[in-house]
């Protein structure tokens, strides 16, 4: 078996505040799962899915060759196997379909299945293979152990697909298929987010422009023009603004001159605007731009910029919304900046909340796909795991938990990033609680944390990572152990998946397993799912099943009524291991502003590097004796969190000298995509 030289693919809200759903207790959930109703429903068939049998080749071919060698089951067959009715399915070709949210009403009395989160140690630049491990575990549970399982995974951004990293469908013989559909346009959700985000951006600058050209009366007349019968009326979104202002009137003609001015003039402070334009392409030259240079803009220029689409707050909203009504409220509550008086300005103040919802009405439906071995997969939402919370959607998880006995999902980056946000943000808004956390680790990454040579994507690994080195490995094991202890802080059982490479020795693997159990893991299991598919993750699946049956006592890291600083400092000291926190003058101003505006009761979404437990990507292992610097704090009120910035955060990646798009092409004879990693 040849040694591998490339990584398995991984992906590198009175105020406007919304209160999260009340958390269900573990006891109630456990009791619910033991009711006769569930047992009858789940025992209709011994094997719920007809597996696709894989032909395992050596050496292991490229991901796309593997994916294209498998004939997927028709998506209608997948839907039938999991219990989705034809009327609840919106077909997008033969291999993928949107699922209507109405299914939740039909299944509301059915008990939820077990909830499993996949996370990892602090990853190297090559990643840890979280997505691959998630798919291998799901294939093992469904195709080999015969359980009713569902996978919920994020939709990848286009940037890495054409940049340096490649796809995010998993890897080897543990993938989502069709791989090319998954990694590219899919069903258009990212395009819908791009359109909605940029409509809001256009609305901001258009409003500033028109307010500068008109007095209060002209502005009011333009916003509420008379119809052919000489009558004025308020649009529905305008009534939302009137309610916010405390103006209890429904006829525009009855507003006093003062009320007309308050209603019509937002007086946005351009310096306070935090809303960026977005595009789903790695384009470093759009990071900072100057807008308003055309002659018709009358010299109203300002500096602006672009983010990658998955960094948009609208993407985070899609992932955290619970239904269409909630989506409408969240989109309307987006805060784009403040007025010159320091009042929050929202999308509904700009009159665009309803239009954003129209653009997003189809994107709220999760996309049904399948694994290489024919188990069901929901692909939905793809928020960044540093600027946003890095987890797939609540909607997809809720549907899957009604359809399956086990639902496997993934949190972006390491446990200090995506998993903490999964627990403290996603679980608050969903009311769902996990039964097990799987922490993915590799021998080579632990060696890096032990002081090994620098790992650079695209370059060969140093011999320290491919030869046995127990001393180097032992020095890096504390990183794994701190992540296990952090997961256990939330009262959840932990299983470690040792994602195996051909160069790992038996002594190295046993050292990792021993360290994991010493830190409190229920088990630590070696996996070969990349080369063996679900068969290579059967032992992991068995360990996860056992962990899910053990009692747990889920709890959040902090209560929402704590102050902003208390919440930040709890995360910094308990999860990152910092000695304390230092705030810049800008951060202190934002804390004062957001407390005054009533945003201080939101959870914290720490924006930091994924390459270290600390704020500094150069600090490997388990850094000690440092303080976390908070450079700034921003508000994603629609999504429902504040995000403190720990150092400089890049929201628009760039392309390397030799992007992987060089290899991507279309076979004109067969019509197949080639070269997609």
């Amino acid at each position: 078996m040849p040694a591998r030289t490339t990584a398995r693919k991984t992906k590198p809200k009175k105020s406007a505040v919304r209160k999260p759903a009340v958390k269900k207790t573990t006891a109630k959930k456990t009791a619910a799962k033991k009711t006769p109703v569930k047992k009858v429903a789940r025992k209709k068939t011994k094997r719920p899915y007809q597996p696709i049998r894989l032909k395992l080749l050596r050496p292991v071919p490229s991901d796309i060759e593997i994916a294209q060698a498998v004939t997927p089951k028709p998506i209608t067959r997948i839907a039938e196997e999991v219990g989705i009715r034809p009327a609840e399915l919106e077909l997008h070709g033969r291999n993928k379909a949107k699922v209507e949210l109405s299914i939740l009403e039909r299944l509301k009395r059915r008990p939820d299945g077990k909830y499993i989160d996949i996370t990892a140690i602090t990853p190297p630049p090559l990643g840890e293979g979280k997505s691959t491990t998630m798919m291998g575990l799901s294939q093992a549970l469904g195709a080999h152990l015969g359980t009713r399982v569902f996978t919920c995974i994020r939709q990848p951004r286009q940037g890495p697909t054409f940049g340096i990293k490649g796809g995010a469908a998993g890897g080897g013989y543990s993938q989502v298929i069709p791989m090319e559909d998954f990694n590219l346009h899919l069903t258009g959700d990212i395009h819908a987010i791009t359109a909605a985000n940029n409509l809001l951006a256009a609305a901001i600058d258009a409003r500033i422009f028109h307010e500068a050209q008109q007095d209060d009366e002209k502005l009011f007349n333009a916003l509420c023009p008379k119809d052919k019968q000489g009558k004025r009326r308020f649009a529905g979104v305008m009534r939302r603004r009137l309610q916010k202002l405390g103006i209890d009137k429904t006829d525009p003609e009855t507003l006093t001159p003062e009320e007309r001015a308050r209603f019509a003039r937002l007086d946005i402070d351009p310096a306070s605007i935090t809303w960026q334009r977005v595009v789903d392409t790695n384009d470093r030259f759009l990071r900072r731009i100057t807008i308003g240079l055309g002659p018709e803009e009358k010299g109203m220029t300002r500096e602006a910029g672009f983010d990658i689409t998955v960094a948009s707050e609208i993407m985070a909203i899609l992932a955290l919304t619970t239904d269409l009504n909630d989506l409408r409220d969240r989109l309307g509550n987006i805060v784009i900046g403040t007025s010159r008086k320091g009042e929050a300005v929202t999308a509904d103040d700009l009159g665009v909340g309803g239009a954003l919802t129209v653009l997003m009405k189809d994107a709220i439906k999760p996309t049904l796909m399948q694994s290489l071995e024919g188990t069901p997969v929901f692909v939905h939402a793809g928020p960044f795991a540093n600027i946003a919370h890095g987890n797939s959607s609540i909607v997809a998880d809720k549907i899957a938990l009604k359809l399956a006995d086990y639902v496997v999902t993934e949190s972006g980056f390491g446990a200090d990033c995506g998993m903490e946000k999964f627990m403290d943000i996603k679980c608050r808004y969903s009311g769902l609680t996990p039964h097990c956390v799987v922490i993915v680790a590799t021998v080579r990454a632990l060696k890096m944390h032990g002081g090994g040579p620098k790992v650079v994507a695209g370059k060969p690994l140093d011999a320290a990572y491919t030869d046995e080195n127990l001393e180097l490995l032992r020095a890096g094991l504390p990183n794994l152990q701190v992540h296990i202890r952090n997961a256990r802080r939330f009262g959840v059982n932990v299983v470690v998946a040792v994602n195996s490479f051909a160069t790992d020795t038996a002594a190295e693997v046993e050292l990792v397993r021993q360290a994991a159990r010493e830190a409190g893991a229920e088990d630590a299991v070696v996996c070969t799912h990349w080369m063996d598919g679900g068969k290579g993750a059967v032992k992991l699946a068995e360990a996860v099943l056992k962990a899910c049956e053990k009692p747990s006592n889920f709890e959040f890291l902090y209560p929402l009524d704590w102050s902003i600083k208390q919440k930040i400092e709890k995360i910094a000291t308990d999860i990152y291991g910092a000695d304390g926190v230092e705030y810049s003058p800008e951060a202190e101003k934002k804390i004062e502003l957001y407390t005054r505006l009533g945003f201080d009761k939101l959870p914290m979404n720490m924006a930091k590097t994924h390459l270290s437990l600390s704020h500094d990507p150069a600090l490997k292992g388990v850094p000690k004796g440092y303080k976390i610097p908070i450079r700034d704090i921003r508000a994603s009120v629609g999504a429902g969190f504040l995000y403190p910035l720990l150092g400089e955060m890049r929201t628009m990646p760039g392309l390397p000298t030799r992007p992987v798009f060089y290899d991507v092409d279309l076979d004109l004879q067969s019509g197949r995509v080639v070269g997609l990693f």
Side-chain angles (χ1 to χ4, degrees):
M1 180 177 62
R4 297 185 55 211
T5 57
T6 57
R8 306 163 181 88
K9 271 62 68 196
T10 56
K11 295 176 277 292
K13 279 171 201 208
K14 105 186 171 195
S15 68
V17 177
R18 173 178 293 95
K19 290 185 178 181
V22 176
K23 177 179 71 69
K24 300 176 184 177
T25 65
T26 304
K28 288 181 180 178
K29 290 171 72 66
T30 303
K33 290 178 183 64
K34 293 181 179 178
T35 60
V37 174
K38 181 174 180 180
K39 288 183 178 178
V40 171
R42 303 308 189 205
K43 290 187 176 179
K44 286 183 179 180
T45 176
K46 192 172 183 179
R47 186 174 292 277
Y49 316 127
Q50 182 61 45
I52 297 173
R53 300 301 179 189
L54 297 179
K55 182 179 180 181
L56 304 175
L57 301 179
R58 300 292 185 265
V60 178
S62 69
D63 291 352
I64 194 164
E65 289 176 311
I66 292 171
Q68 291 180 343
V70 173
T71 301
K73 293 187 287 189
I75 203 64
T76 50
R77 171 91 170 275
I78 296 289
E80 181 182 1
E81 289 179 343
V82 300
I84 300 173
R85 295 175 178 174
E88 296 163 339
L89 211 60
E90 180 185 295
L91 296 175
H92 285 250
R94 183 180 183 275
N95 298 318
K96 54 187 182 292
K98 288 277 192 180
V99 175
E100 299 286 344
L101 270 57
S102 60
I103 192 172
L104 282 170
E105 178 63 24
R106 175 170 70 83
L107 301 177
K108 65 183 179 181
R109 298 189 185 280
R110 182 180 292 184
D112 288 345
K114 304 281 189 179
Y115 200 23
I116 303 155
D117 183 46
I118 311 294
T119 185
I121 64 171
T122 306
L126 300 178
E128 286 300 273
K130 277 200 318 297
S131 300
T132 309
T133 302
M134 172 174 60
M135 296 313 304
L137 172 60
S138 295
Q139 291 174 194
L141 286 168
H144 295 269
L145 298 184
T147 69
R148 188 175 295 274
V149 66
F150 224 117
T151 313
C152 293
I153 189 171
R154 286 180 296 168
Q155 179 182 353
R157 54 193 172 99
Q158 180 179 282
T161 302
F162 291 130
I164 194 170
K165 189 177 176 184
Y173 285 102
S174 297
Q175 294 189 56
V176 182
I177 55 172
M179 175 201 175
E180 54 269 53
D181 290 12
F182 177 89
N183 283 296
L184 297 174
H185 304 283
L186 199 58
T187 49
D189 294 355
I190 290 181
H191 302 318
I193 292 164
T194 302
N197 185 102
N198 293 343
L199 176 61
L200 178 52
I204 295 166
D205 290 300
R207 188 57 170 261
I208 294 173
F209 175 82
H210 290 300
E211 286 192 16
Q213 314 302 318
Q214 302 172 71
D215 61 27
D216 293 342
E217 189 63 22
K218 287 184 178 179
L219 187 61
F220 177 81
N221 290 336
L223 290 171
C224 295
K226 292 181 178 179
D227 60 20
K228 293 180 180 180
Q229 286 73 44
K231 299 286 187 179
R232 302 183 194 272
R233 69 176 184 85
F234 289 125
V237 70
M238 292 178 171
R239 290 193 287 272
R240 290 180 179 242
R241 173 160 174 76
L242 290 167
Q243 184 179 15
K244 173 182 174 180
L245 296 173
I247 300 175
D248 188 21
K249 295 180 180 179
T250 57
D251 183 354
E253 300 291 0
T254 63
L255 267 63
T256 67
E258 181 197 11
E259 290 171 335
R260 290 187 175 198
R262 288 178 61 213
F263 164 78
R265 190 167 297 280
L266 301 181
D267 197 25
I268 298 168
D269 179 2
S272 75
I273 297 172
T274 57
W275 196 258
Q276 299 260 77
R277 288 162 172 81
V278 299
V279 64
D280 191 33
T281 303
N282 287 1
D283 193 345
R284 56 168 40 93
F285 287 96
L286 292 178
R287 290 172 182 164
R288 299 311 300 166
I289 62 172
T290 300
I291 61 174
L293 293 174
E296 294 183 359
E297 281 63 64
K298 303 180 181 180
M300 294 186 65
T301 62
R302 73 177 180 90
E303 192 175 272
F306 275 77
D307 294 332
I308 196 81
T309 297
V310 295
S312 170
E313 182 179 347
I314 296 180
M315 176 62 91
I317 287 172
L318 179 64
L320 290 170
T321 195
T322 53
D323 56 41
L324 199 57
N325 289 332
D326 181 60
L327 178 67
R328 173 63 184 88
D329 288 342
R330 287 178 181 268
L331 291 171
N333 287 338
I334 292 171
V335 174
I336 59 91
T338 62
S339 69
R340 297 182 192 275
K341 293 181 180 179
E343 299 166 334
V345 179
T346 70
D348 271 349
D349 290 331
L350 286 157
V352 73
L356 301 182
T357 310
V358 170
L359 287 171
M360 294 294 294
K361 68 179 178 63
D362 293 320
I364 194 175
K365 306 169 189 175
T367 300
L368 180 66
M369 297 182 75
Q370 63 190 286
S371 72
L372 278 170
E373 298 189 57
T375 59
V377 178
F378 271 143
V379 184
H380 202 212
F384 257 18
N386 45 19
I387 296 300
H389 67 292
N391 286 268
S392 60
S393 78
I394 288 173
V395 166
D397 289 0
K398 281 180 171 287
I399 297 174
L401 284 163
K402 295 299 183 184
L403 294 169
D405 291 330
Y406 299 94
V407 172
V408 185
T409 189
E410 172 197 4
S411 297
F413 296 141
D416 56 312
C417 287
M419 185 208 69
E420 185 272 319
K421 296 170 185 180
F422 172 86
M423 304 292 189
D424 280 322
I425 299 176
K426 184 176 181 180
C427 289
R428 286 189 202 263
Y429 286 117
S430 68
L432 302 171
T433 58
H435 296 78
C436 177
V437 166
V438 177
I439 298 181
V440 181
T442 61
V443 167
R444 70 181 187 189
L446 290 168
K447 288 180 177 179
M448 181 198 71
H449 286 295
K454 186 176 181 180
V455 176
V456 180
K459 293 186 178 181
L461 286 172
D462 187 274
Y465 298 109
T466 57
D467 296 341
E468 183 176 287
N469 192 325
L470 298 180
E471 184 178 352
L472 190 61
L473 175 59
R474 188 175 288 109
L477 287 172
N479 185 271
L480 168 62
Q481 293 178 315
V482 76
H483 284 299
I484 294 170
R485 295 184 185 115
N486 282 345
R488 287 175 56 81
R489 288 177 188 272
F490 295 94
V492 183
N493 300 315
V494 177
V495 173
V496 171
V498 185
N499 192 11
S500 181
F501 286 77
T503 54
D504 299 346
T505 69
E508 287 176 329
V509 168
E510 186 55 36
L511 192 59
V512 176
R513 296 184 68 236
Q514 180 182 343
R517 290 193 295 264
E518 288 175 356
E522 299 295 326
D523 203 348
V525 184
V526 180
C527 311
T528 60
H529 46 274
W530 180 81
M531 63 182 293
D532 294 324
K535 182 177 71 172
V538 168
K539 290 184 178 179
L540 174 63
E542 290 171 343
V544 168
L545 291 178
K546 290 179 182 177
C548 284
E549 294 306 316
K550 293 189 175 182
S552 59
N553 185 28
F554 179 84
E555 59 182 0
F556 299 118
L557 188 65
Y558 54 81
L560 291 181
D561 58 5
W562 278 12
S563 70
I564 293 173
K565 284 189 174 182
Q566 283 178 302
K567 286 179 276 196
I568 290 173
E569 290 161 15
K570 182 68 171 176
I571 299 170
T573 57
D574 282 25
I575 301 297
Y576 309 153
D579 289 346
V581 177
E582 296 173 339
Y583 301 90
S584 71
E586 181 64 25
E588 293 281 8
K589 289 178 183 177
K590 290 293 183 65
I591 290 171
E592 181 182 356
L593 173 64
Y594 295 150
T595 301
R596 177 173 61 80
L597 292 174
F599 302 158
D600 57 318
K601 303 310 177 190
L602 291 171
M604 296 297 115
N605 183 88
M606 306 287 268
K608 77 173 193 76
T609 180
H610 62 288
L611 296 174
S612 173
L613 275 165
S614 73
H615 64 286
D616 184 349
L619 299 179
K620 303 303 181 182
V622 183
K624 298 292 182 182
Y626 71 97
K627 290 189 175 182
I628 291 287
I630 305 297
R631 179 174 62 85
D632 194 4
I633 303 177
R634 296 179 185 170
S636 288
V637 179
F641 53 72
L642 300 181
Y643 62 99
L645 301 178
L646 285 59
E648 294 294 327
M649 297 305 301
R650 182 174 292 170
T651 55
M652 171 57 78
L655 289 171
T657 304
R658 208 278 191 187
V660 297
F661 63 60
Y662 273 84
D663 302 311
V664 179
D665 213 327
L666 191 68
D667 184 324
L668 299 179
Q669 298 299 316
S670 66
R672 282 189 166 188
V673 174
V674 297
L676 196 63
F677 216 73

